Amino acid sequence: MASDIDLHLGRRLRRRRRLLGLTQQQLAMQVGIRFQQIQKYECGANRISAARLWQLAEALESPISYFYDGLEEAMERREAASQGGEMFSRKETLDLIQAYYQLGERPRRRLLDLAKSLHAEGGEPA
């Protein structure tokens, strides 16, 4: 079973690879492994060794610390989720929160007002 850290590193690996527009095959070729191994790293099925993490960081032109960015917050979210905050562990919720904070202050206020007005209208959850 994958640990929370393995899952986080895998997500960060996938995010950086996609940001650079690389396929799993292209990245695998750069570090001398098969694309299936990249798949396993990205889903957290296999742990990334220190040496391999170094190679991946070099291939993805990022510092090793990139892979650990946000780890503490992710661990806190998982802990909160295990204590009854399941909705905050959903990908949809996290995507919404991320998108919300990428907006400027005024659009954020307007979006929040819209959400509150929809709730006030008695909309039932899906």
Side-chain angles (χ1 to χ4, degrees):
M1 185 172 158
S3 80
D4 290 344
I5 296 171
D6 297 326
L7 291 170
H8 182 80
L9 291 176
R11 286 186 190 111
R12 298 292 290 175
L13 173 62
R14 178 181 293 127
R15 180 178 293 144
R16 182 67 181 163
R17 177 181 61 76
R18 287 180 174 171
L19 182 68
L20 295 176
L22 295 173
T23 65
Q24 290 176 336
Q25 179 68 40
Q26 290 168 327
L27 178 58
M29 287 176 56
Q30 286 185 31
V31 295
I33 58 176
R34 297 184 183 264
F35 80 92
Q36 291 93 337
Q37 188 62 45
I38 298 294
Q39 286 177 327
K40 291 176 182 181
Y41 289 152
E42 288 184 353
C43 72
N46 285 7
R47 287 197 167 148
I48 305 172
S49 71
R52 182 72 70 212
L53 188 59
W54 179 270
Q55 290 174 325
L56 291 165
E58 290 287 309
L60 296 170
E61 301 171 1
S62 64
I64 290 178
S65 62
Y66 166 82
F67 297 96
Y68 293 95
D69 286 349
L71 178 60
E72 188 173 336
E73 294 85 5
M75 299 292 274
E76 289 170 2
R77 279 195 309 268
R78 284 191 183 90
E79 186 177 320
S82 69
Q83 297 174 355
E86 295 85 18
M87 79 173 134
F88 290 106
S89 65
R90 294 182 194 156
K91 182 180 180 338
E92 177 185 27
T93 304
L94 298 176
D95 289 346
L96 182 61
I97 291 169
Q98 243 181 353
Y100 177 82
Y101 282 106
Q102 289 175 352
L103 296 172
E105 183 180 0
R106 185 166 182 230
R108 272 200 319 260
R109 261 187 285 129
R110 293 179 69 203
L111 182 59
L112 182 58
D113 291 342
L114 173 63
K116 287 179 180 178
S117 72
L118 290 173
H119 178 71
E121 290 176 8
E124 295 182 21

